[in-house]
Structure formats: C-alpha cells, structure tokens
Amino acid sequence: MWFLSLSSGCRCSSPSLAIVKHLARTAGYDCDCDDYTWCEVLALGVEDQIGKMGRVVYGPDLDGEKRATYLKDARPWLAYYEQRAPAGNPPAESGYFTSGGRLTWVDFTIFNFLDAHKAFAEVKMDGDERPVDDFMAEFPRLSAFYKRFSQRPKITAYLASERRAAYSLPKKS
C-alpha cells in the first residue's frame, strides 16, 4: 500500500482518489488528454482491486491459502489491464505511460497497485511453504510498465530510501 509523503511534511497512507487527483493537479500530473474517461476507469479499477486486497490482508485469519485465493482471483483483472497496457518500446526519455503520452497520476496509481500486489505475493507468511507467486511473469506488458516506472530516477531513489516503509502484514492479535 502506498504511503504519500510530501516535502511539506504531510504524510498519509493510501490516500483517496480525490486527494490523489488534487495533488496531481497541483503538481502537473493531471489527466488532460482525450482519454480522461479511460483514466478514470483505470484508476477506479485499481481502487477496487486495492480494496479487495485490503479485505484479505486485514481480514480475520489471514493465511497462505487466503492469499493464494486472492492472487488467483486477481488474475482476470490483471489480464484485462494486461490487454490494455501500452505495447512497444518507446525511448527511455518519453517513458512508458498509460495515457496521453506523458506521466499522469494514473501511472502512479497503477504502479502503486502493482508494487503492493507484488509485495503481498512475496511477503513471507508463517507456516506457508508455497513458492512465491511470480504473477508478473504472466503479464509482460504490466511487468514492463512496472520495470520502466521503477527506473524513473526519483522512484528508484524512493524505493531504495529509508522513507519507504518495508511491506509487512498486520500483526495477529
């Protein structure tokens, strides 16, 4: 799950789409392309899937079986976005973005979801001896988007920084 930390000191966990859109407009990452409706569809789909993952992660009795079921059930959604993800190999300076030919808040939203999904798939769980679910291998376009986006200099620096909290599951009570 993402954790928004601004240079002003403002910090919030999993901000709503309203907050993300407001911050995007103030930072120049808003969707002003002809595909605005498509941007909304992408973002709402991500928000829905993050909610489903949250219900599993924070639900009662999380175990390896529930995680495996969630990861299996998420695959059709990922396949849908895989089919619609950009194809090709654009020059590194132009990036590999979802809409409008430039970086938008939707790209951050999709990257965040893929990053959280990947972390949830990889986190070690007590008593679960299953191999790590390498779901990204099934989705080469989403994998390429994730890889390119994570190589953006500021994203790379953040992912390696102490500011980024390590992914962990909630403590069982």
Side-chain angles (χ1 to χ4, degrees):
M1 308 291 170
W2 59 326
F3 190 82
L4 188 61
S5 179
L6 304 175
S7 58
S8 66
C10 174
R11 297 168 60 109
C12 61
S13 175
S14 299
S16 72
L17 282 182
I19 292 170
V20 170
K21 288 167 124 181
H22 171 74
L23 293 173
R25 276 195 303 279
T26 63
Y29 294 120
D30 51 332
C31 276
D32 56 2
C33 62
D34 294 336
D35 295 332
Y36 183 79
T37 301
W38 180 239
C39 288
E40 290 287 313
V41 168
L42 289 170
L44 290 170
V46 165
E47 186 176 53
D48 183 51
Q49 201 60 37
I50 288 280
K52 289 176 183 177
M53 185 168 62
R55 285 188 290 280
V56 173
V57 170
Y58 296 104
D61 305 319
L62 171 63
D63 60 16
E65 187 63 35
K66 286 187 174 110
R67 173 174 61 182
T69 299
Y70 165 78
L71 294 170
K72 180 178 133 290
D73 291 347
R75 279 178 162 72
W77 184 89
L78 290 165
Y80 174 81
Y81 280 88
E82 171 72 11
Q83 293 171 0
R84 284 144 184 85
N89 189 17
E93 61 271 6
S94 69
Y96 192 61
F97 309 122
T98 54
S99 186
R102 69 178 186 84
L103 182 63
T104 68
W105 63 274
V106 178
D107 299 301
F108 287 96
T109 301
I110 292 172
F111 175 79
N112 171 65
F113 167 68
L114 293 173
D115 191 52
H117 196 92
K118 185 174 180 297
F120 181 51
E122 294 174 351
V123 71
K124 184 73 176 141
M125 295 180 74
D126 292 338
D128 188 10
E129 300 302 321
R130 286 174 253 253
V132 169
D133 184 341
D134 184 17
F135 73 94
M136 292 288 262
E138 296 173 39
F139 306 105
R141 287 181 176 183
L142 291 176
S143 183
F145 170 80
Y146 179 85
K147 181 179 177 184
R148 283 190 178 98
F149 202 86
S150 66
Q151 291 172 343
R152 298 184 61 78
K154 289 183 179 180
I155 299 293
T156 299
Y158 171 73
L159 293 174
S161 77
E162 290 180 9
R163 288 181 35 207
R164 182 180 192 217
Y167 187 86
S168 63
L169 296 172
K171 304 283 186 235
K172 292 186 179 186
S173 50

